[in-house]
Amino acid sequence: MSETAAVQMTGIAKRFGPVQALRGADFALAPGEVHALLGENGAGKSTLMQVLFGLLIPDAGTVEVSGRPLPSGSPRAAMAAGIGMVHQHFSLVPAMTVAENVALGRSGLRFDGRAAAETVRRVGTATGLDIDPSVVAGDLPAGQRQRLEIVKALAREVRVLVLDEPTAALTPREAGDLMAALRRLAAGGLAVVLITHKLRDVAAIADRVTVLRRGSVALSAPARGLDRAAMLQAMIGEAASASHVPDELLVEAAVGDIAAPRATTAAPARGQVDSLALDVRELSVNRPGRPTPVRVASLAVRPGEVVGIAAVEGNGQRELMRAIAGLLPSEGARLVGGDGTVGFVPEDRQHEGLVLEFSVSDNLALGGSHGFWLDRGALASTATAVIEAFRIQAQGPGQPVEALSGGNQQKVVLARELARKPALLVAENPTRGLDIRSAAEVQERLRGAAHEDGVGVLYYSTDLDEVLAVSDRVAVMVNGQWREVTDAAPSRELVGSLMLEGAT
């Protein structure tokens, strides 16, 4: 790339102890370009961009911005050079207004509310990312919080904007609005880096694609004419031929698209719990002094059925699932089929699903009935069989679970819950933070538990495409209320619009 490149990174290497995160990676970004950065978890995407933003000091390599060397390890120098970064997890102060969040970190001893509000309005008018400067950030839905994060960066008059998984928590309409805004910004000369797992995002917006695999550049090419199979091959290396996951599931997880939505089944009639995995009638969850998160929800799940929940964050879906799993107090009727056993896969596997210091064997035994004495030999034997059956990449049953990758940790949680032979499995955002291969394996296990073993599965994901791909039937949670989607083959646009109608 010429000396007028917005960013030129050459030979970037970075090691964390025994792990070589980057291996001489090159990355070039042109002004006015949207550049998609792809790769599995651990491929080095975020590490490379953290080097650019000054959060990490590389072991080797150089970084130039607009033809000038950029000092290593200085976010201040990166911001002064016109680089802004929007991280995957929001960094807003919920109790502050939009204007106050935008003003955070600015120089000066006093907060000028009028000037901050004018900055928000000016950036909104120029980019189409309009947002009310007086609204409290904590009251914003996910799409508006994502918009605020971008406005914060643009308020610093950046020339390079790095976005880490910006569509992960957005509805289709919100994601489309964001992509349109980014295209307008690029047309005005802004250089954009889009870190994503979604090939849908690449197809929608990218001018160029770089794929990292195990710290090295596996592919760098113009997006035009680059097919999905080539990108997927570059991302996972051995590809589906060496994977235990069927090709179509890997593609489905990577594309984030539903070429042919599966036909949804009608909701079952309630009233006969012996023929249902779950029968809920007029369930509500109350929080004293706060808005009611779940308002008289009634629903049912058949054995062998995956029922997906689509919802904008904060509309009661988490409280509903945890009440059904018996983790939150609720009012109304909650009847579970079989012997009443409910398995629960929490979103935060490390803090709620596992004891990280414990071994794989001990984590698999959590919650089980073992009497007064633990038979360590039997536990180890059972764990060895589970490791093989679930293809958990571990050194053995005695390895601490904290040493496993996120995907393998999630397999431990899933294996333990399925070993309980539940009538119902509640899966709360089970692929959160997983790469394409691991996400596809988890999805395959959950569908297998339903369709092969007859478990009723209640499934929620912040990713609408994932909900549509995995589920046999879809419902929407809006403002604490359960709404069945009755269309035989619901489109993502239809479900997305239902999610936004009256959403909090």
Side-chain angles (χ1 to χ4, degrees):
M1 184 169 280
S2 71
E3 61 182 0
T4 59
V7 172
Q8 180 75 59
M9 306 180 75
T10 306
I12 305 297
K14 181 65 181 178
R15 176 184 290 275
F16 298 99
V19 178
Q20 188 72 45
L22 291 171
R23 305 169 186 269
D26 297 338
F27 182 80
L29 177 67
E33 175 182 75
V34 178
H35 197 136
L37 185 58
L38 307 179
E40 294 191 274
N41 287 355
K45 309 183 299 298
S46 294
T47 301
L48 185 64
M49 290 300 102
Q50 286 170 0
V51 168
L52 173 62
F53 195 59
L55 296 172
L56 294 173
I57 299 175
D59 300 327
T62 60
V63 180
E64 294 183 355
V65 178
S66 300
R68 297 180 180 179
L70 183 68
S72 297
S74 173
R76 184 180 296 274
M79 288 188 285
I83 299 171
M85 187 168 182
V86 177
H87 300 275
Q88 182 176 3
H89 300 289
F90 300 141
S91 59
L92 305 173
V93 179
M96 288 186 172
T97 67
V98 166
E100 289 167 342
N101 271 279
V102 169
L104 278 176
R106 298 277 180 141
S107 59
L109 298 177
R110 294 183 178 180
F111 167 64
D112 188 337
R114 181 175 297 179
E118 179 56 34
T119 297
V120 172
R121 284 190 284 266
R122 173 177 55 79
V123 173
T125 300
T127 64
L129 295 170
D130 296 298
I131 190 167
D132 186 344
S134 66
V135 173
V136 175
D139 294 336
L140 294 172
Q144 291 287 306
R145 290 198 297 271
Q146 180 72 78
R147 178 174 293 199
L148 173 53
E149 289 282 14
I150 297 172
V151 169
K152 278 177 56 182
L154 295 176
R156 298 179 180 275
E157 299 182 356
V158 299
R159 295 189 294 276
V160 175
L161 181 63
V162 180
L163 298 163
D164 192 352
E165 298 284 358
T167 64
L170 304 186
T171 67
R173 185 185 303 176
E174 290 171 329
D177 289 346
L178 175 61
M179 293 301 175
L182 292 177
R183 275 266 56 110
R184 287 193 297 270
L185 292 168
L190 183 72
V192 179
V193 181
L194 183 68
I195 302 175
T196 183
H197 283 119
K198 290 285 194 70
L199 302 191
R200 164 184 281 276
D201 293 347
V202 176
I205 195 174
D207 300 303
R208 189 170 183 86
V209 176
T210 291
V211 178
L212 291 180
R213 186 173 74 246
R214 297 173 186 168
S216 299
V217 175
L219 173 70
S220 188
R224 184 183 298 274
L226 191 61
D227 64 43
R228 290 164 168 174
M231 287 187 279
L232 184 58
Q233 171 72 38
M235 290 171 70
I236 65 176
E238 321 78 70
S241 61
S243 174
H244 295 285
V245 183
D247 291 11
E248 61 271 18
L249 291 187
L250 279 172
V251 173
E252 199 172 68
V255 171
D257 198 0
I258 312 299
R262 43 179 102 241
T264 189
T265 56
R270 295 186 301 275
Q272 296 295 325
V273 71
D274 56 352
S275 64
L276 295 172
L278 173 69
D279 188 2
V280 170
R281 307 177 200 175
E282 299 186 345
L283 182 143
S284 63
V285 178
N286 297 308
R287 296 179 297 182
R290 304 177 66 182
T292 300
V294 181
R295 310 177 186 202
V296 290
S298 296
L299 62 135
V301 179
R302 299 181 183 90
E305 178 183 47
V306 181
V307 176
I309 301 175
V312 174
E313 286 283 10
N315 276 271
Q317 63 273 27
R318 297 179 190 278
E319 290 86 352
L320 174 67
M321 298 182 79
R322 287 169 178 258
I324 288 172
L327 301 175
L328 284 179
S330 61
E331 298 176 0
R334 179 186 70 97
L335 303 174
V336 178
D339 64 358
T341 301
V342 179
F344 180 62
V345 179
E347 178 180 62
D348 190 342
R349 55 186 167 271
Q350 294 193 345
H351 292 95
E352 295 185 279
L354 299 164
V355 180
L356 295 179
E357 298 81 5
F358 284 13
S359 67
V360 174
S361 178
D362 286 348
N363 272 281
L364 288 171
L366 289 175
S369 177
H370 306 286
F372 290 104
W373 303 101
L374 288 177
D375 186 336
R376 290 289 180 183
L379 292 180
S381 177
T382 299
T384 299
V386 169
I387 288 170
E388 181 178 355
F390 277 76
R391 300 188 290 271
I392 298 170
Q393 300 300 310
Q395 295 175 358
Q399 184 176 19
V401 78
E402 64 186 346
L404 305 184
S405 69
N408 286 297
Q409 289 178 352
Q410 191 70 312
K411 289 180 188 178
V412 172
V413 175
L414 192 55
R416 181 187 66 226
E417 297 306 298
L418 290 176
R420 300 174 62 201
K421 304 295 183 184
L424 177 75
L425 182 69
V426 178
E428 181 187 67
N429 219 9
T431 64
R432 177 178 179 266
L434 303 186
D435 58 34
I436 290 167
R437 191 198 312 263
S438 298
E441 287 189 271
V442 168
Q443 292 170 13
E444 181 191 26
R445 284 287 178 184
L446 288 169
R447 284 193 282 209
H451 301 159
E452 297 170 20
D453 301 329
V455 178
V457 176
L458 190 62
Y459 191 102
Y460 167 67
S461 172
T462 53
D463 188 327
L464 174 56
D465 293 312
E466 181 179 320
V467 172
L468 291 172
V470 172
S471 306
D472 301 304
R473 179 162 54 87
V474 178
V476 174
M477 283 289 288
V478 179
N479 198 22
Q481 297 179 320
W482 178 274
R483 299 181 182 177
E484 296 283 348
V485 178
T486 57
D487 286 52
S491 67
R492 67 193 305 274
E493 290 74 20
L494 169 65
V495 178
S497 66
L498 292 174
M499 290 165 61
L500 290 175
E501 289 183 3
T504 57

